[in-house]
């Protein structure tokens, strides 16, 4: 029974994706909605992303330095390990899981509240495609999500450099040499491919849980929790699949 319920939910999710692109809202209205979503989802997330990225980059640098106990191991590996950790996994994946909590809860609660207060029903009565009106602007806004991850990458490496150099673990020249060593440009491409997929998950899964929720104010909170769990699970699952496809060969 549980399997059938999950399959039913997955089917409903894909039907929702199809419906989002039907009967488009006119551009003059959609433009304002998109700008509002960019402000709510992207601009408002920059502060927390910058703070976390900077200090986690510093922690990665310090942890790497503390584990290089053998004096024969060169110090430039601190910069190398920090760059690899931040670009490949921390910035695209770890930040996306955090955003599943911040963005996802915001999306689910805002749409869920509209469902509870019958605002979605009012949109349908007026002949508006409510899924297009509510979800499509979020998808477009989150196409700017790679910009947030790019800032996270930069600040993560910067935090590692500051922690490594000013903590006395390595010199600036050694850290920069390690950060530049054996750099593979495709790793950046890989990170941004993951980021775009994660952005689509962040926009659609919380919207699904908010749009199809039933009940009152208490159920809005429950839907936000369920949405965070499933968005995080989806991000981690797709992270494994994309890593295997793009880097496994």
């Amino acid at each position: 029974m549980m399997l059938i319920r999950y399959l039913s939910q997955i089917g409903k999710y894909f039907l929702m994706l199809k419906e989002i692109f039907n009967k488009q809202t006119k551009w003059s209205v959609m433009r304002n909605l998109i700008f509002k979503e960019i402000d709510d989802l992207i601009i408002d997330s920059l502060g927390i992303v910058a703070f976390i990225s900077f200090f986690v980059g510093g922690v990665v640098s310090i942890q790497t330095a503390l584990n290089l106990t053998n004096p024969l191991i060169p110090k430039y590996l601190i910069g190398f390990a920090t760059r690899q950790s931040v670009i490949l996994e921390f910035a695209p994946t770890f930040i996306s899981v955090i955003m599943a909590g911040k963005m996802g809860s915001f999306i689910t609660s805002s749409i869920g509240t509209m469902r509870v207060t019958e605002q979605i029903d009012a949109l349908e009565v007026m002949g508006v495609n409510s899924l297009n009106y509510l979800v499509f602007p979020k998808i477009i806004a989150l196409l700017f999500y790679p910009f947030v991850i790019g800032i996270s990458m930069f600040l993560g490496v910067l935090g590692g450099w500051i922690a490594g150099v000013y903590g006395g673990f390595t010199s600036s020249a050694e850290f920069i040499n390690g950060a530049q060593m054996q750099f593979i440009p495709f790793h950046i491409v890989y990170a941004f491919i993951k980021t775009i997929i994660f952005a689509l998950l962040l926009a659609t899964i919380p919207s699904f849980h908010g749009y199809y929720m039933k009940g009152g104010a208490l159920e809005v909170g429950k839907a936000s929790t369920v949405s965070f769990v499933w968005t995080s699970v989806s991000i981690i699952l797709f992270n494994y699949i994309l890593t295997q496809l793009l880097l496994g060969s």
Side-chain angles (χ1 to χ4, degrees):
M1 285 297 293
M2 188 175 288
L3 177 62
I4 293 171
R5 195 173 84 243
Y6 285 148
L7 290 174
S8 170
Q9 290 288 89
I10 291 167
K12 190 190 282 189
Y13 171 76
F14 283 106
L15 288 172
M16 182 198 81
L17 293 182
K18 176 178 173 288
E19 187 63 28
I20 288 169
F21 299 97
N22 291 338
K23 197 180 174 187
Q24 295 283 325
T25 306
K26 61 182 180 180
W27 173 245
S28 57
V29 175
M30 184 60 70
R31 183 181 58 214
N32 293 330
L33 292 171
I34 290 169
F35 283 132
K36 182 180 182 301
E37 297 296 350
I38 289 171
D39 185 47
D40 288 342
L41 300 177
I42 302 297
I43 306 299
D44 284 359
S45 300
L46 289 175
I48 185 70
V49 168
F51 178 81
I52 292 171
S53 301
F54 183 83
F55 284 101
V56 171
V59 169
V60 170
S61 178
I62 293 168
Q63 291 276 21
T64 306
L66 293 175
N67 283 288
L68 294 179
T69 52
N70 191 325
L72 297 176
I73 298 175
K75 295 289 186 185
Y76 63 70
L77 286 179
I78 297 170
F80 177 78
T82 302
R83 183 200 77 204
Q84 292 294 89
S85 301
V86 167
I87 288 176
L88 290 176
E89 278 309 311
F90 165 71
T93 307
F94 185 61
I95 291 293
S96 293
V97 171
I98 292 170
M99 288 299 106
K102 185 191 179 299
M103 287 183 191
S105 297
F106 173 78
I107 291 170
T108 304
S109 59
S110 61
I111 295 179
T113 302
M114 291 182 73
R115 173 63 75 189
V116 168
T117 55
E118 299 180 351
Q119 293 178 56
I120 293 176
D121 297 330
L123 286 171
E124 295 287 349
V125 167
M126 290 188 293
V128 175
N129 179 357
S130 56
L131 277 170
N132 178 260
Y133 184 88
L134 294 171
V135 183
F136 186 73
K138 293 173 174 56
I139 293 173
I140 298 302
L142 279 165
L143 292 178
F144 292 92
Y145 185 57
F147 169 72
V148 176
I149 297 304
I151 291 174
S152 173
M153 290 177 184
F154 170 75
L155 289 174
V157 176
L158 178 66
W161 175 76
I162 290 174
V165 173
Y166 291 95
F169 298 106
T170 183
S171 68
S172 178
E174 282 179 319
F175 186 93
I176 292 170
N177 180 37
Q180 293 175 335
M181 185 180 68
Q182 295 180 3
F183 176 65
I184 301 171
F186 181 72
H187 285 171
I188 299 286
V189 177
Y190 155 78
F192 281 126
I193 289 172
K194 287 205 302 186
T195 301
I196 291 168
I197 301 296
F198 295 163
L200 294 173
L201 296 174
L202 285 168
T204 55
I205 294 177
S207 298
F208 171 81
H209 286 284
Y211 189 85
Y212 290 108
M213 64 145 290
K214 293 176 181 155
L218 182 63
E219 279 72 23
V220 173
K222 288 180 180 175
S224 296
T225 304
V226 172
S227 132
F228 167 67
V229 170
W230 281 111
T231 308
S232 302
V233 167
S234 302
I235 285 170
I236 291 166
L237 181 63
F238 272 89
N239 182 46
Y240 173 80
I241 293 168
L242 290 168
T243 302
Q244 185 67 36
L245 287 174
L246 297 172
L247 297 182
S249 57

